[in-house]
Amino acid sequence: GPFPHPLHARTPGSWLIHRGGSARAPTLSAMPSPHLSIVIPMFNEEAVLPLLADRLRPLADAMVDDGVCAAYEIVAVDDGSTDATPVLLQRLRRTWPEVRVLRLRANAGHQAAISAGLARARGDYVVTLDADLQDPPEVIREMLTIARTEGVDVVYGVRTDRTTDSAFKRWSARTFYRAQRALSSVDTPLDAGDYRLMSRATVDAVNALPEHHRVLRFVVPALGFPSATVGYRRAERAAGESKYPLARMLKLSVDSVTGFSLTPLRFATWLGLIGGLAALAILVFALGSRLAGHTLPGWTSTVVIVSAVGAVQLLALGILGEYVGRMYAAMQGRPTYFVAHDSLGEPEQPPQDRV
């Protein structure tokens, strides 16, 4: 049904926003339970953080004022930043009470930071958004509207225009997504990254998964929940440097393939079958040549066969090693992140004028 107006949803003593006036900013624990959580992983984002706040806050406040959502929270996950990001986040909390800072003890990686935010987010709907502003925050309103009107659990942000990316990045992304769809049974939207809206049921399902090294852009589609898409133009990074160099992109690709596809294991099986058939054919040829009295070449054929079989064995062992390594990590049960600080339980900040 229609969502109540935000003023009607506030509890007695809650903070009422007055434009141009003063108000007492409560802690998040004193505020009503948020209807929307926006999870933003951050690693050394001091350059872009002020730009993100200036752009995101008016949009989020407007959704409250327009009755799109009753309340929201910003879950900023500091992924072990070594620059001024933690300081800027604490300053931001003093003037933006909806901001909640979740700081990890060490850099756990982009996907682990998102997982940490999902585990702590309290909203009925949760949006995951990168801090670099390449994915426009303005799309969040449309995502939330579609989720409620169409009754879907997931709304994916799809990059319909990637002209701001380099030619290599566009080619590698296109190849990666199409190869992943071919290798696995997961129907992943093409050109959909980690910009998505999820219902509480979806978030709870993701949090319940025991999987390590999860790649959320494939974990969420694998759940099979009802979904929709929203297209947008991917912009250039607003400030700072990319946190996804080639090495991390390759690691993400390996985690994606080994986490969602049995094709590499089946590929090793097919190689073994083909190698066995080839060995049988060579044996038949050798026996026929011996019966016919022909002389077989010696060391050349032996070296070729041994080299080929050895290469196939090494390739198969390497593929199996990827899966054995994932099983070993799961058996160890080591957490992918450790939370050092959560601002939810901190004392109330001094009163500030809301601008």
Side-chain angles (χ1 to χ4, degrees):
F3 204 85
H5 191 275
L7 298 183
H8 299 160
R10 301 184 189 278
T11 57
S14 63
W15 182 43
L16 185 63
I17 300 174
H18 296 282
R19 299 295 177 187
S22 298
R24 187 173 66 87
T27 57
L28 277 172
S29 57
M31 295 177 64
S33 180
H35 180 239
L36 175 67
S37 295
I38 303 176
V39 176
I40 309 176
M42 301 180 182
F43 178 65
N44 292 344
E45 297 289 4
E46 62 178 359
V48 77
L49 186 53
L51 302 176
L52 173 67
D54 291 343
R55 188 166 166 185
L56 179 59
R57 185 175 185 179
L59 298 172
D61 289 343
M63 286 193 293
V64 173
D65 294 340
D66 297 341
V68 178
C69 65
Y72 70 90
E73 66 174 355
I74 306 295
V75 184
V77 184
D78 178 11
D79 189 18
S81 298
T82 56
D83 62 356
T85 298
V87 177
L88 293 176
L89 286 174
Q90 292 302 323
R91 289 179 180 173
L92 193 61
R93 286 190 58 240
R94 296 190 180 99
T95 56
W96 193 0
E98 289 86 359
V99 171
R100 175 181 173 189
V101 180
L102 187 67
R103 188 168 66 246
L104 307 186
R105 289 193 178 276
N107 179 245
H110 182 252
Q111 297 297 306
I114 296 179
S115 296
L118 293 180
R120 298 301 181 99
R122 303 176 299 158
D124 299 326
Y125 291 97
V126 180
V127 173
T128 54
L129 172 69
D130 288 342
D132 55 16
L133 291 176
Q134 288 189 282
D135 302 326
E138 291 80 3
V139 180
I140 295 177
R141 176 189 284 260
E142 185 177 358
M143 286 180 168
L144 186 57
T145 301
I146 290 177
R148 291 173 57 189
T149 56
E150 298 186 11
V152 296
D153 286 296
V154 185
V155 180
Y156 299 100
V158 176
R159 304 153 181 170
T160 56
D161 185 348
R162 305 190 62 159
T163 55
T164 57
D165 291 336
S166 65
F168 173 77
K169 184 66 177 293
R170 293 196 300 270
W171 173 83
S172 61
R174 184 167 56 251
T175 303
F176 169 69
Y177 282 107
R178 282 162 176 77
Q180 183 65 23
R181 292 187 70 173
L183 291 174
S184 69
S185 58
V186 180
D187 187 17
T188 306
L190 295 177
D191 292 317
D194 289 308
Y195 191 21
R196 71 182 72 85
L197 177 142
M198 294 173 285
S199 66
R200 171 47 54 185
T202 307
V203 174
D204 290 343
V206 171
N207 291 335
L209 296 175
E211 182 179 358
H212 289 66
H213 310 292
R214 62 177 60 166
V215 182
L216 292 169
R217 63 188 63 181
F218 298 114
V219 166
V220 177
L223 296 175
F225 288 7
S227 64
T229 60
V230 174
Y232 66 91
R233 180 181 182 274
R234 185 169 172 82
E236 295 182 353
R237 172 176 260 274
E241 298 178 353
S242 173
K243 306 304 185 298
Y244 254 102
L246 182 60
R248 288 200 175 187
M249 291 175 61
L250 291 176
K251 182 180 183 301
L252 181 69
S253 301
V254 172
D255 287 341
S256 301
V257 173
T258 56
F260 295 93
S261 176
L262 293 177
T263 301
L265 279 178
R266 292 167 182 159
F267 176 68
T269 302
W270 282 109
L271 281 180
L273 291 175
I274 293 173
L277 292 175
L280 181 61
I282 293 174
L283 176 61
V284 171
F285 174 74
L287 291 176
S289 298
R290 181 178 179 84
L291 293 176
H294 297 298
T295 302
L296 292 174
W299 63 271
T300 303
S301 59
T302 302
V303 169
V304 171
I305 293 172
V306 170
S307 300
V309 172
V312 171
Q313 289 178 334
L314 289 175
L315 179 61
L317 286 175
I319 296 173
L320 290 173
E322 289 289 338
Y323 288 90
V324 172
R326 296 176 69 88
M327 293 172 60
Y328 178 64
M331 291 176 63
Q332 285 180 318
R334 295 176 180 174
T336 55
Y337 63 87
F338 296 90
V339 175
H341 167 73
D342 187 342
S343 65
L344 180 62
E346 284 192 352
E348 182 179 336
Q349 297 290 337
Q352 299 283 336
D353 288 340
R354 183 161 183 169
V355 180

